[in-house]
Structure formats: structure tokens, C-alpha cells
């Protein structure tokens, strides 16, 4: 018994189809098999398909589970392959929408390369970094066995390295074009750019000393340092000063979108890096630019450099051991203005050099002192705990020998949080420093901003600096979800290219997070459920995606992306 379809051709040339339930019977005389219609369902386009589904369901009640599966799959149907599709397909659509693929294709075509192949190689490396971070060698197996990416089925490690070399060579033009496209499509606020640096270390005993490595950059206060992936010893933000490192800088918009990354030798100072960043972004023809940077960038040379061409800066000043102008701003009396439940601000103008009051004129230095009452309470609690701990440690120290007291004070050099509350009397005895406690209490919950911008309100300045956390979150994602480290490359140019792949991956996932309001970890976990399945039948092979879940539709809807095609490929048996 089976469902058959018959067709009849009308006089006007149109064709009408009919569905019938039939079974075959043998003719009593000739023995030939002939079809006998049991029930006529009518025209195919008007048939009650819900009724057919109920009929199938009712028949299935009388079959074993394996018989139902076999009946549904048909004879000779076999699953040949299953690959992850959702994450790579979504990233590919974002890659296309943001114009990244187009920028790479144009740059490759200008160099007479196979533009389409180069673009697919670089996308594969970026997608792997976002979905399943690993080495470039691991990427070859990942593409060959685990994921489905349109336009590429195989990848060799040699192709991966050549793609990285091209990306680094064409980086300036690609980054500028991507920035323009992303800024236009996402309507980014480009008046304020946030800048910060981090470092990443390498598990090797010595710094680079090979001839092809760049020479260390000497900071003369004027010359901009050149980008380089040279591994050298320097101040480590990962607290691994025993290992060589590189320094990485990132620029992020107010919306949290990373627009560019840079790599420098491991001993390059933050104060020098800002010059390279400013010069590179100057060619992008931004209108009015305010640089927001952490206190590591604070220097008179940097401030002068950032204000060239009408630019402005916002950066924090040190509260302890600071310069005379910042010290004058901290000491200046005045009322705070409450701008939120946990934020108060006070604007102060100081004359250059910190001498006298600034009247807000052209030469006055503008400061904004911010105070967070909640943070002040936390700072006071932490200080009380530190002081109590220190008091316990020095209890009975009057009976110690002078050498033992010297050794104890020396042990606190690596613990400034404790050391600042300890003083020694003229006779060498150890005491709690009440004056230091009082001074520190005056700094609870405060941070001090210096700016050259006279148009932004104190509230805007405080809010802008708080958004510097967007950059810090980018570093956490770089080192966490994207696994920036460990770096398996030895050549300095490959190290820089590796950082740029991480930047492109971070750009894609940040756009996805902004649109969906969810973390990339959650988004990728849901998209990972969407697979591309290749089936073999008696008539050939077909590649079909699995059914979309409600989570898939929510993510695609938020990103304004269409559903992936249900069928990707058909191959008929000859």
C-alpha cells in the first residue's frame, strides 16, 4: 500500500496532480501487477495535509520504534557526516555585513592573489578563534572534520601562514576600510575613543635576539614607536616579569566596538604607544576626537601630542605621589554635585604648574574630581582590615632585634597596601601610621580626571572614563574566550598577525553581543546546536541543516539575519 501521484494535462497546457492511496494486485489471468485505487485524496494542491499527518501518526501506533524510523528514512538512507553550522554561518553573515570580507577581497585582488581563496582562509582562522580557539595546525583539522564553512572545505597550515602574512601586509588599508564600514552600519559614536594596553608573555627563557627581529625602540618623547612583535622583558600586566612578552594596545569606541589593535615590543612604555595610535587613526578623517586613557598614558609629552590638530584627552591622574597640578586639584575645596546614586563630581581649574587658582581661562588646567560613596565605604573597610592585620603582625615587635625589624620592613616592599600604614620611630620601633590612615581616608572612593576638553560636562567626563571598562572587558575576552595565549608563533610578524586575528574575532563577537544583549559564550553554545547533516540515498546525497530552535530564531532575529537555507547541496547519482 502506498501513496501515489498522477498527473493530467489540460488543453491549455497546464498540469493537474492528484493524490491517491493505492496498492498493487496481480491480474488473475495474466499475473501482471496492476494498481488498484483504494482512496482518492483529490488534487495535490488542495489535499488536507494535516489529515495525512494524522493518518501517518495513527499508523505509527502499530509499528515498533525501529520500524517507524526505517519508514520515515526510507530504504537505503544513511547519515554520512554531521558538522557544526550555526556559529560559523552566523559569523560569516556578520563578516559579510560589516564589509570585512569585501575589504580583504579588494586588498588581495590589488596584489593579484586569488582574492576569494585568501578571504576564506582568513575568515576560517577568525571563526576558529571565536568558536574553538587553537593553533593554526589545529585549524586545518577543525575545518576538515568539525565545521561547515561556505566556500572552503580544506585548509593547509601553509595556506594559513600565507593568509596571516597577507593580512599583516595589507592591515592598514583593511583596518581603515573595515572601520569606515562598521562605523556607518552600526552608527557608532566616534567622538570618543578609549585606549588601553595589556601584555602577553611567552613560555621561553630568553628574549628575541634574531637578526630579523626589530631593534628596541628608544623613547625620545617625540618619535612614535614602530609596531613589532619582538618578545622582550618589560613591565608585565600578567605579573610574569620573569618571561619575555609583547605589549598590545587596543582602541575601542564608546559603544564598546574594538576598531583597531597594535602590537609593540615588550619593553615599550604606554606613554610612547599613544603616539603611534593617534597617528594611525588620524588618517581615518575622524571629526572631533577625545582620547580616553588610563593613568599609564599620563605625561606632559603625551598630552601635548594628543591635542595636536584640535584633539582632546581625558585621563586619570595618580592620587598618590602625583604631580603638583593634580595635588593642587585634590586639595582645592569646593562642593560636590550629585549626578547619580553612587557618583558625585566636582570641577576644579588649576593654573599651570599648580601655582595659584585657575580661572577657567585658556591656560588653566581642567580637573574633575569624582567620588563614589559606595566605593568609599568599601575602601574604608579594606583599609580597616589591612591595618588590623598589620597591627597583629607587629604586636610584640618592641622585643625584636633591630635586624628582625629591618627584615620585616623589607618584606613589606612587595606589599604597598600594608607598607603605607607602617612607620618607624626614631629609635627604630614599629608603629601604625595614624597620619597615613588619615591621608588615605581622604582618598576613599575618589578618582581624578584631567582633560583638555572644555565642552563636555563633568558628568559626561566621569561617565566616559567609567566606560574605559569596555576596553578592560575586551582584554578579558581576548585572553579568555579567544585564548590569545598561549601563542605558538616564533616570528615577530606572525605574532602580530595572530593578534590581528584575535582583534577581528573580538569585533565580530562584540557586535553579536551588542545586538542580542547576551554573552558570546551563551550565543555560541546555542548556535552550536545547529548542524549540517549529509545524507546518502539511493538517488544521491543531500546536505541539510537541522531544525532551528527557538533560541536560534531569537539570535538571528536580534542580528537581523535570515534563516540559513534548509538544503545546501544536492548530488544526484548518475
Amino acid at each position: 500500500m502506498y501513496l501515489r501521484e498522477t498527473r493530467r494535462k489540460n488543453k491549455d497546457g497546464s498540469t493537474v496532480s492528484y493524490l491517491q492511496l493505492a496498492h498493487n494486485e496481480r491480474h488473475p489471468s495474466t499475473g501482471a501487477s496492476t494498481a488498484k485505487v483504494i482512496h482518492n485524496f483529490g488534487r495535490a494542491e488542495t489535499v488536507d495535509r494535516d489529515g495525512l499527518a494524522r493518518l501517518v501518526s495513527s499508523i505509527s501506533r502499530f509499528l515498533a520504534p525501529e520500524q517507524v524510523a526505517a519508514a520515515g528514512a526510507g530504504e537505503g538512507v544513511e547519515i554520512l557526516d554531521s558538522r557544526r553550522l550555526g556559529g560559523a554561518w552566523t559569523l560569516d553573515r556578520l563578516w559579510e555585513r560589516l564589509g570585512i570580507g569585501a575589504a580583504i577581497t579588494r586588498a588581495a585582488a590589488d596584489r593579484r592573489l586569488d582574492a576569494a581563496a585568501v578571504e576564506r582562509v582568513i575568515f576560517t582562522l577568525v571563526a576558529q578563534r571565536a568558536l574553538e580557539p587553537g593553533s593554526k595546525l589545529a585549524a586545518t583539522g577543525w575545518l576538515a572534520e568539525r565545521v561547515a564553512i561556505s566556500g572552503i572545505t580544506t585548509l593547509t597550515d601553509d595556506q594559513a601562514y600565507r593568509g596571516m602574512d597577507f593580512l599583516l601586509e595589507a592591515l592598514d588599508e583593511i583596518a581603515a576600510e573595515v572601520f569606515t564600514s562598521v562605523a556607518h552600519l552600526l552608527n557608532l559614536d566616534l567622538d570618543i575613543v578609549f585606549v588601553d594596553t595589556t601584555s602577553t608573555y611567552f613560555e621561553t627563557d630568553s628574549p628575541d635576539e634574531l637578526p630579523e627581529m626589530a631593534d628596541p625602540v628608544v623613547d625620545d618623547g617625540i618619535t612614535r614607536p614602530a609596531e613589532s612583535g619582538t618578545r622582550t622583558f618589560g613591565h608585565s600586566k600578567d605579573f610574569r616579569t620573569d618571561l619575555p612578552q609583547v605589549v598590545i594596545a587596543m582602541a575601542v569606541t564608546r559603544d564598546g566596538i574594538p576598531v583597531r589593535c597594535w602590537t609593540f615590543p615588550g619593553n615599550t612604555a604606554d606613554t610612547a604607544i599613544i603616539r603611534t595610535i593617534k597617528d594611525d587613526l588620524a588618517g581615518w578623517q575622524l571629526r572631533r576626537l577625545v582620547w580616553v586613557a588610563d593613568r599609564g598614558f599620563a605625561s606632559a609629552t603625551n598630552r601635548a601630542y594628543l591635542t595636536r590638530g584640535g584633539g582632546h584627552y581625558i585621563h586619570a591622574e595618580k592620587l598618590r605621589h602625583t604631580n603638583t597640578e593634580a595635588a593642587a586639584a585634590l586639595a582645592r575645596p569646593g562642593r560636590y554635585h550629585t549626578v547619580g546614586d553612587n557618583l558625585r563630581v566636582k570641577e576644579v581649574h588649576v593654573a599651570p604648574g599648580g601655582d595659584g587658582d585657575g580661572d577657567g581661562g585658556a591656560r588653566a588646567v581642567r580637573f574633575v574630581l569624582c567620588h563614589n560613596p559606595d566605593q568609599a565605604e568599601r575602601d574604608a573597610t579594606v583599609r580597616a582590615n589591612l591595618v588590623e592585620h598589620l597591627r597583629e603582625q607587629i604586636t610584640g615587635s618592641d622585643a625584636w632585634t633591630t635586624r628582625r625589624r629591618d627584615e620585616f620592613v623589607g618584606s613589606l616592599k612587595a606589599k604597598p597596601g600594608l607598607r603605607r600604614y607602617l612607620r618607624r620611630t626614631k629609635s627604630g620601633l614599629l608603629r601604625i601610621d595614624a597620619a597615613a590612615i588619615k591621608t588615605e581616608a581622604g582618598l576613599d572612593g575618589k578618582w581624578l580626571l584631567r582633560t583638555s576638553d572644555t565642552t563636555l560636562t563633568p558628568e559626561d567626563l566621569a561617565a566616559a572614563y567609567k566606560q574605559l571598562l569596555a576596553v578592560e572587558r575586551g582584554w578579558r575576552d581576548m585572553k579568555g574566550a579567544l585564548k590569545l595565549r598561549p601563542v605558538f608563533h616564533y616570528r615577530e610578524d606572525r605574532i602580530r598577525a595572530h593578534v590581528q586575528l584575535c582583534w577581528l574575532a573580538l569585533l565580530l563577537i562584540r557586535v553579536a553581543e551588542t545586538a542580542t544583549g547576551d554573552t558570546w559564550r551563551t550565543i555560541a553554545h546555542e548556535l552550536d546546536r545547529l548542524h549540517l547533516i549529509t545524507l546518502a540515498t539511493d538517488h544521491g546525497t543531500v546536505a541539510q541543516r537541522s531544525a532551528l530552535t527557538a533560541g536560534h530564531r531569537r539570535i538571528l532575529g536580534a542580528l537581523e539575519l535570515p534563516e540559513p537555507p534548509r538544503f545546501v547541496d544536492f548530488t544526484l547519482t548518475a
Side-chain angles (χ1 to χ4, degrees), residues 4-10 14-20:
R4 76 171 188 171
E5 182 181 12
T6 59
R7 292 182 175 87
R8 176 175 60 82
K9 192 171 184 178
N10 296 328
S14 62
T15 301
V16 180
S17 298
Y18 296 91
L19 294 181
Q20 299 166 334

Side-chain angles (χ1 to χ4, degrees), residues 231-399:
R231 299 169 293 183
T232 59
F233 290 110
H235 173 67
S236 174
K237 299 189 178 184
D238 294 312
F239 307 103
R240 292 304 305 267
T241 54
D242 58 318
L243 296 175
Q245 64 178 20
V246 294
V247 175
I248 304 171
M250 182 162 54
V252 177
T253 69
R254 187 198 291 262
D255 310 271
I257 305 299
V259 294
R260 183 72 191 272
C261 253
W262 295 261
T263 310
F264 299 92
N267 59 353
T268 309
D270 286 349
T271 53
I273 289 172
I274 195 71
R275 301 164 211 160
T276 299
I277 298 175
K278 183 180 187 297
D279 290 351
D280 285 349
L281 296 189
W284 292 2
Q285 298 180 350
L286 301 176
R287 301 181 300 277
R288 170 183 175 273
L289 202 57
V290 179
W291 298 83
V292 185
D294 211 339
R295 57 180 58 90
F297 292 94
S299 74
T301 304
N302 269 0
R303 291 194 293 269
Y305 205 87
L306 291 177
T307 53
R308 289 182 181 180
H312 292 284
Y313 62 83
I314 304 169
H315 71 71
E317 290 282 357
K318 294 180 179 179
L319 297 181
R320 307 176 185 89
H321 312 295
T322 189
N323 55 69
T324 55
E325 294 168 346
L330 285 170
R332 190 66 49 80
R335 293 184 177 181
Y336 284 99
H337 172 58
T338 301
V339 296
D341 293 337
N342 61 347
L343 182 63
R344 304 190 302 159
V345 296
K346 178 175 64 175
E347 184 170 353
V348 178
H349 293 270
V350 177
D355 299 327
D357 294 340
D359 58 1
R363 299 188 67 249
V365 183
R366 186 186 184 198
F367 290 91
V368 172
L369 185 59
C370 306
H371 179 251
N372 184 328
D374 294 339
Q375 182 62 44
E377 292 183 9
R378 290 191 289 269
D379 291 345
T381 301
V382 169
R383 183 176 58 257
N385 293 336
L386 288 174
V387 171
E388 181 60 29
H389 176 64
L390 181 62
R391 195 187 307 277
E392 292 175 358
Q393 287 190 308
I394 65 175
T395 298
S397 62
D398 290 358

Side-chain angles (χ1 to χ4, degrees), residues 14-207:
S14 62
T15 301
V16 180
S17 298
Y18 296 91
L19 294 181
Q20 299 166 334
L21 184 64
H23 75 98
N24 291 335
E25 290 184 349
R26 293 191 178 276
H27 193 277
S29 302
T30 63
S33 178
T34 59
K36 180 179 180 180
V37 176
I38 300 175
H39 178 72
N40 195 329
F41 291 98
R43 295 177 61 159
E45 64 269 21
T46 61
V47 70
D48 182 6
R49 298 185 181 275
D50 292 336
L52 289 179
R54 290 192 295 272
L55 176 62
V56 172
S57 178
S58 63
I59 294 174
S60 300
R61 292 187 292 112
F62 297 94
L63 301 177
E66 60 272 16
Q67 291 176 310
V68 175
E75 298 293 335
V77 176
E78 182 180 1
I79 298 177
L80 297 181
D81 193 18
S82 177
R83 294 169 178 262
R84 298 173 182 174
L85 175 67
W89 189 90
T90 302
L91 291 175
D92 207 352
R93 300 289 75 74
L94 291 177
W95 177 271
E96 178 183 352
R97 174 188 289 178
L98 297 178
I100 304 175
I104 293 174
T105 300
R106 278 190 285 271
D110 291 342
R111 290 163 173 77
R112 298 184 178 180
L113 301 174
D114 186 344
V118 171
E119 184 270 338
R120 287 291 82 189
V121 167
I122 295 177
F123 171 75
T124 299
L125 296 177
V126 172
Q128 181 224 15
R129 186 56 48 183
L131 296 169
E132 194 171 328
S135 67
K136 305 306 173 286
L137 182 60
T140 63
W142 180 69
L143 177 64
E145 303 168 358
R146 301 175 64 84
V147 70
I149 297 179
S150 174
I152 184 171
T153 55
T154 59
L155 174 69
T156 66
D157 55 348
D158 184 57
Q159 287 176 311
Y161 290 130
R162 280 184 292 160
M164 293 173 65
D165 294 342
F166 159 76
L167 176 63
L168 197 60
E169 176 187 346
L171 180 62
D172 287 342
E173 56 192 280
I174 292 174
E177 191 170 337
V178 168
F179 172 79
T180 301
S181 175
V182 170
H184 173 71
L185 289 172
L186 302 183
N187 194 27
L188 298 182
D189 184 347
L190 303 178
D191 283 348
I192 295 181
V193 170
F194 301 84
V195 181
D196 197 10
T197 61
T198 190
S199 58
T200 185
Y201 59 84
F202 297 81
E203 299 288 353
T204 182
D205 295 331
S206 60

Side-chain angles (χ1 to χ4, degrees), residues 429-460:
L429 300 179
L430 305 181
R431 295 291 184 268
I432 298 296
D433 193 338
I437 294 175
K438 183 178 179 180
T439 300
E440 287 294 313
L443 302 178
D444 286 350
K446 293 179 181 178
W447 70 93
L448 181 65
L449 304 181
R450 177 197 290 251
T451 182
S452 63
D453 192 291
T454 59
T455 63
L456 293 175
T457 66
E459 296 89 337
D460 291 337

